[in-house]
Amino acid sequence: MASYPATQLDLNWTIVGQGAIGLLAACRLQQQSNTVTLHLRQPNSLDIMFTATDGQQQQYYFSPAVAPYQAVLVPIKSYDVLAGIKELIPLLSTQAQIILSHNGMGTIEQVLPLLLPSQGLWFLTTTHAALKTSATTLQHTGQGQSVLAPLNLAANKQSSAVKQAMTIALGPVQLATDIKPFLWQKLLINAVINPLTAINNCKNGDLLAAKYTKTIQQLVTEVCAVSQATGYKMAIEESVQRVRHVMQATATNFSSMQQDVYHQRQTEINAISGFIVEQGRQYAINTPVNLQLQQQVLQLQQSYGL
Ligand code: PAF
């Protein structure tokens, strides 16, 4: 059995929100006898009927979290992260470990200065897929993997305990020293698939049609130019192939942004296309196609009052 240095804490986990990925992590952690509570807008308990990828079903019960929180998974949308962290800060222990996990980029720089030097910040990016079929039923729809990286020194000190928990929750986990290359790769995929499926109201696989080829090439070229300017080189042709591979692998899925627009919710467009446009401006790189998709998605949001 693995043993941890005396300085490692036994972590009690708090999951923020009741999104599908957060609840997937919560169920799998509780299944392995970890203490898991939920931090919800209203401090309610929650019963979840969980269906694993092999069809096995199990009921889980989560009670509301009680401060101080020791280890917190924050799998909330990019546009909610800053407000969400500010709300959490008075509830965190001085040694708390906080894990961000969302599509898009731009939040890490905002969150880091808000924490104490003794509070660890992490980012986790995952390819697991889960679906809430109702408010109390959750299905693990796709086995995936995750990349986890510490973002400050206090995170490094707890790395075994956090990695062990995230391996149970959303493993297998690759522990990276620098999350940025992984975030750029994910951003590339999201910058192509998410706005195009949202604007055209289609499934991910529909984007493999020839009519999208030119736009995809243009989007990828822009993302690669900006990524390279910020210090992360991605080859254009390889990146096009990576995006097409995800379209094939998730052909029958609706992207998260298509779902957000379909259900008239706020989207993550500003942390995806908007981030690329904004970084492009800083490095004097034109990103007209990303800008056009950002504006189109913002117009869709405006059309339903957001
Ligand atoms: O946001 C999403 O929907 C997902 O990140 C992805 C990979 C585009 C698949 O649908």
Side-chain angles (χ1 to χ4, degrees), residues 34-88:
N34 291 279
T35 306
V36 188
T37 53
L38 296 185
H39 173 91
L40 304 177
R41 281 213 175 94
Q42 304 295 328
N44 295 328
S45 57
L46 190 65
D47 272 305
I48 290 289
M49 177 54 86
F50 173 61
T51 309
T53 46
D54 62 5
Q56 287 221 22
Q57 293 196 314
Q58 203 170 331
Q59 185 87 29
Y60 292 93
Y61 171 81
F62 301 102
S63 48
V66 177
Y69 301 171
Q70 278 189 343
V72 193
L73 177 61
V74 191
I76 59 179
K77 299 273 194 176
S78 49
Y79 50 78
D80 275 336
V81 167
L82 195 55
I85 292 288
K86 284 183 178 165
E87 184 187 302
L88 284 173

Side-chain angles (χ1 to χ4, degrees), residues 112-150:
L112 265 177
L114 301 178
L115 302 177
L116 299 173
S118 55
Q119 292 172 326
L121 187 66
W122 299 77
F123 201 103
L124 177 139
T125 168
T126 188
T127 58
H128 278 277
L131 183 70
K132 277 178 81 178
T133 41
S134 78
T136 56
T137 51
L138 175 76
Q139 198 172 346
H140 189 187
T141 46
Q143 285 287 353
Q145 52 197 11
S146 304
V147 180
L148 174 71

Side-chain angles (χ1 to χ4, degrees), residues 103 186 189-190 193-194 204 246 255-256:
N103 282 337
K186 185 83 195 294
I189 289 159
N190 290 136
I193 297 181
N194 294 28
N204 296 355
V246 176
S255 78
S256 54

Side-chain angles (χ1 to χ4, degrees), residues 214-256:
K214 190 172 164 215
T215 311
I216 292 169
Q217 186 77 27
Q218 290 170 323
L219 284 167
V220 170
T221 305
E222 290 180 12
V223 178
C224 288
V226 177
S227 162
Q228 178 158 357
T230 70
Y232 301 94
K233 191 168 165 41
M234 296 193 296
I236 295 173
E237 265 327 298
E238 205 181 300
S239 300
V240 170
Q241 288 318 316
R242 184 174 301 131
V243 171
R244 291 180 69 84
H245 175 78
V246 176
M247 289 172 184
Q248 275 152 2
T250 62
T252 57
N253 292 6
F254 286 111
S255 78
S256 54

